[in-house]
Amino acid sequence: MQIKERERIEKRLEELEKMPSFKEEHSIAQMLQEKGISRRDFMKWAGGIATMLALSPAYTPLIAKAAELSDRLPVIWLNLAECTGCSESLTRSEFPSIDSLIFDYISLEYHETLMAPSGWQAELSLQNAMEKYKGRYILMVEGGVPFGDEGRFLTIGAHAQTGKELAKDAISKSAAVFAIGTCSSFGGVQAAYPNPTNAKPLSSVSNRSIINVPGCPPSERNIVGTLMYYVLFGNLPALDAYSRPTWAYGTRIHDLCERRGRFDAGEFVENFGDEGAKKGYCLYKVGCKGPYTFNNCSVSKFNSGVSWPIQAGHGCIGCSEPNFWDTMAPYEKPLADRSFQSVFGGMGADWTADKVGLAVLTATAIGIAAHATIMKIKESKGE
């Protein structure tokens, strides 16, 4: 870490420390202690976040400090056209991780699913929070934005404000905007063909820079990691062409997959439940979209870090890619018209292994065709 950058981060954290805490009665140290999490575990978590963000270990104490000050930045969470799966991903954990506890600790000023008020009281809470913290709050939005019938396919509250109007207003008064989940990032299932509500991603509402954190649902680590980056640096992380943080979405599922060696060796599951499946072979031939999908699922995992889809025995369905409902289906068959893509345009360190895997797949396809032809000839001869 350069001295100037360290000084800049320390100045940022000093400024945050001067801001009023929204959790004065409860520090993060107290909260973690009550949950049975030691300071040592907390520092290990901070070190893990530094690694995940591709920062050196020298950032660890600064990240720990940023987490302790995360209650200085109010957060408003909007639920638009969605299934609440992203919220559940964060909150429904039998054994809460430090990531989910951090989310409990931040000053969540508005969240329709989690808050106590309802009806006009909830609307009033939102308007009060947006005015009170104007220009200071972080906006997180879950769900796509229906544009059909001038946005009236989604109206919220007694005044029937459309989701489109609400999102536009909330974005204009925020300090930073995160689109949480694939629906908010790219439209999701609501925007899939034939898309009767004309649902669109959150970025369609405003020209503001929006950080997309896609996934169906996204990992809680990707949400909290992006939040920690903003708290630490006060600006947006490096983003890819789809406005996703490159530290989380810069590498293919295929390249970080625990079954990658099976692909390179030409060992594939042919049908769910066969011997190959029992031995943990590659799931490409039963539809895995890992070669076309950018995410860090194998590193962050789900359910308190217990597992992820490929580990559980089903291929990746590409849920963090734009329009995946339309472009990645059918989910249990390989795509026939897509090329492998890598971060280096197909010429990276994985190039050779990909070519080997593709050659094996090609040979397999030729073998299947030849076998079918021979069987047909035998049948015609009555053998």
Side-chain angles (χ1 to χ4, degrees):
M1 186 192 324
Q2 295 180 348
I3 295 175
K4 284 186 177 180
E5 183 170 66
R6 184 179 188 90
E7 290 175 346
R8 184 170 66 85
I9 293 173
E10 287 177 341
K11 185 179 179 183
R12 157 86 174 162
L13 296 179
E14 285 174 9
E15 290 173 354
L16 286 177
E17 198 165 15
K18 292 174 184 174
M19 295 170 67
S21 168
F22 294 95
K23 304 275 185 179
E24 289 180 347
E25 75 289 353
H26 217 66
S27 69
I28 194 168
Q30 287 175 309
M31 183 193 70
L32 294 177
Q33 189 176 19
E34 289 171 4
K35 300 289 183 181
I37 296 172
S38 66
R39 178 72 182 175
R40 182 185 177 87
D41 291 333
F42 178 59
M43 294 307 294
K44 283 172 64 178
W45 169 85
I49 292 292
T51 303
M52 196 171 69
L53 296 176
L55 301 173
S56 79
Y59 285 84
T60 298
L62 297 173
I63 290 173
K65 183 73 174 177
E68 291 169 350
L69 299 175
S70 60
D71 66 329
R72 265 67 170 181
L73 294 176
V75 172
I76 291 177
W77 182 296
L78 297 182
N79 296 78
L80 301 183
E82 43 79 29
C83 68
T84 316
C86 300
S87 294
E88 291 201 20
S89 173
L90 275 166
T91 58
R92 290 213 170 182
S93 178
E94 185 179 0
F95 303 103
S97 63
I98 294 180
D99 302 279
S100 57
L101 292 174
I102 291 289
F103 199 76
D104 287 344
Y105 180 67
I106 64 174
S107 177
L108 192 57
E109 292 299 310
Y110 182 86
H111 190 301
E112 289 173 353
T113 308
L114 303 179
M115 63 194 295
S118 61
W120 66 268
Q121 289 178 318
E123 284 189 85
L124 185 61
S125 297
L126 175 59
Q127 293 305 321
N128 287 343
M130 286 168 54
E131 291 303 321
K132 184 176 180 180
Y133 306 115
K134 188 174 182 178
R136 293 171 47 199
Y137 66 81
I138 296 171
L139 178 67
M140 295 187 174
V141 179
E142 179 180 1
V145 187
F147 274 59
D149 195 16
E150 298 181 352
R152 283 191 284 270
F153 275 89
L154 172 67
T155 60
I156 300 171
H159 297 98
Q161 188 177 27
T162 68
K164 182 181 170 185
E165 293 169 342
L166 180 58
K168 192 172 184 178
D169 190 25
I171 290 173
S172 69
K173 297 173 181 173
S174 66
V177 188
F178 298 173
I180 304 297
T182 294
C183 295
S184 185
S185 299
F186 306 127
V189 65
Q190 284 74 227
Y193 178 81
N195 191 7
T197 65
N198 193 18
K200 295 184 179 181
L202 185 65
S203 57
S204 301
V205 175
S206 168
N207 292 325
R208 285 276 303 277
S209 294
I210 293 175
I211 306 173
N212 289 331
V213 188
C216 189
S219 158
E220 63 191 33
R221 298 216 81 186
N222 288 354
I223 299 173
V224 173
T226 306
L227 177 65
M228 283 299 103
Y229 187 99
Y230 182 77
V231 174
L232 190 64
F233 293 100
N235 53 31
L236 306 184
L239 304 175
D240 70 4
Y242 297 118
S243 296
R244 302 175 295 195
T246 54
W247 61 263
Y249 301 92
T251 309
R252 291 183 305 175
I253 291 280
H254 189 55
D255 299 324
L256 298 175
C257 181
E258 63 216 33
R259 302 190 190 217
R260 175 60 191 263
R262 300 294 193 177
F263 175 89
D264 298 341
E267 296 172 335
F268 297 98
V269 175
E270 302 290 339
N271 295 290
F272 290 109
D274 67 8
E275 281 302 308
K278 294 174 185 173
K279 292 177 180 176
Y281 285 2
C282 175
L283 297 160
Y284 178 80
K285 290 172 71 173
V286 287
C288 181
K289 305 303 186 297
Y292 322 110
T293 306
F294 289 78
N295 208 331
N296 59 355
C297 298
S298 64
V299 177
S300 57
K301 299 190 176 180
F302 297 86
N303 299 328
S304 302
V306 172
S307 186
W308 66 298
I310 288 178
Q311 183 179 345
H314 194 284
C316 167
I317 61 172
C319 72
S320 58
E321 296 302 305
N323 307 317
F324 84 99
W325 285 100
D326 293 329
T327 59
M328 295 292 184
Y331 295 120
E332 295 179 347
K333 291 182 180 178
L335 297 177
D337 58 349
R338 296 283 289 272
S339 300
F340 285 70
Q341 296 291 328
S342 76
V343 290
F344 301 109
M347 296 299 292
D350 52 353
W351 183 85
T352 301
D354 273 355
K355 293 298 179 187
V356 171
L358 282 172
V360 172
L361 283 170
T362 304
T364 303
I366 293 172
I368 292 171
H371 176 75
T373 303
I374 292 170
M375 290 302 293
K376 200 167 183 178
I377 293 172
K378 284 185 174 181
E379 286 174 5
S380 65
K381 290 182 177 179
E383 295 179 7

